[in-house]
Amino acid sequence: MSIFEYNGSALVAMVGKNCFAIASDRRLGVQLQTIATDFQRIFKIHNKLFLGLSGLGSDAQTLHQRLVFRHKLYQLREERDMKPETFASLVSAMLYEKRFGPYFCQPVIAGLGEDDKPFICTMDSIGAKELAKDFVVAGTASESLYGACESMFKADMDHEELFETISQALISSVDRDCLSGWGGHVYVVTPDEVTERILKGRMD
């Protein structure tokens, strides 16, 4: 078993019309044994920028703390929030610094940039970025998430339709992966508000 699959995870970010959604499962396991059912994988950097970290749970928490620290330094120096594109470059550089002993995480970054244009991207554990205009996935359930998102995604969805689509994609995908699941955690972000919802899924 790969170290990336040790705790299990499912992460997906999807783009709508001037909005985006990011969702994850809630299971923390040690291989096939479930340890917690309320594990947080999605972190708010600021109101229009969110970070999801799939992979090893301990590395995800360490990386999140370091990124919050770097973002606060940026806010103090620049007196503004970081743009999603800039933040993605920061994450990529931080991961590549540790390329010989990497953080075992695959980040998903989602944010609203200039003119509230949604930006999503994912990268591997050494910071190779993959940009997308529709959706990105990561984690042990990524293969089934690709299929579900590919069939359900439509361009220019409003925030309610986007929530419905990403939730159905996540719930149906984690049912096909025994290392992730136990409900879902969804953030839908528009220029005016952030909506957070907890999904109930199969508890097995």
Side-chain angles (χ1 to χ4, degrees):
M1 176 182 270
S2 155
I3 190 69
F4 291 96
E5 298 170 4
Y6 186 71
N7 296 133
S9 53
L11 259 177
V12 54
M14 202 176 272
V15 161
K17 191 176 170 91
N18 290 348
C19 60
F20 71 86
I22 182 167
S24 78
D25 70 326
R26 306 187 75 206
R27 179 183 183 272
L28 174 72
V30 170
Q31 296 181 8
L32 297 178
Q33 180 185 7
T34 299
I35 304 297
T37 59
D38 59 353
F39 192 67
Q40 190 175 358
R41 297 190 180 283
I42 300 173
F43 306 99
K44 177 174 150 184
I45 305 299
H46 60 74
N47 277 340
K48 292 184 178 180
L49 179 60
F50 283 75
L51 166 74
L53 292 169
S54 72
L56 194 64
S58 51
D59 276 8
Q61 290 177 331
T62 305
L63 190 55
H64 166 242
Q65 287 168 355
R66 288 197 62 195
L67 287 164
V68 166
F69 167 70
R70 293 288 290 270
H71 185 257
K72 282 181 178 170
L73 282 182
Y74 182 92
Q75 281 177 317
L76 285 168
R77 191 173 60 241
E78 302 283 336
E79 297 182 353
R80 63 193 167 101
D81 287 330
M82 215 180 256
K83 291 178 189 163
E85 294 85 351
T86 315
F87 186 73
S89 298
L90 168 67
V91 176
S92 180
M94 278 182 66
L95 290 172
Y96 193 67
E97 270 175 23
K98 293 268 193 288
R99 65 192 175 279
F100 299 117
Y103 292 110
F104 297 117
C105 289
Q106 291 173 314
V108 168
I109 294 153
L112 291 176
E114 286 177 347
D115 305 322
D116 295 321
K117 190 168 182 285
F119 169 89
I120 55 169
C121 101
T122 184
M123 54 192 80
D124 66 5
S125 59
I126 57 165
K129 281 191 280 193
E130 182 188 336
L131 305 171
K133 290 188 165 58
D134 44 10
F135 58 84
V136 291
V137 301
T140 53
S142 60
E143 287 178 13
S144 48
L145 274 165
Y146 265 122
C149 293
E150 200 73 65
S151 60
M152 294 180 189
F153 180 81
K154 289 193 312 220
D156 292 333
M157 290 184 282
D158 67 9
H159 61 97
E160 279 303 325
E161 194 180 359
L162 182 63
F163 165 72
E164 196 62 42
T165 305
I166 200 168
S167 302
Q168 292 293 342
L170 181 75
I171 292 295
S172 63
S173 298
V174 296
D175 283 350
R176 291 170 174 81
D177 174 43
C178 63
L179 296 175
S180 58
W182 227 284
H185 201 161
V186 185
Y187 290 87
V188 180
V189 182
T190 66
D192 311 311
E193 63 175 352
V194 177
T195 312
E196 178 185 1
R197 293 186 178 107
I198 301 291
L199 305 176
K200 281 191 174 176
R202 281 179 55 156
M203 298 300 182
D204 59 357

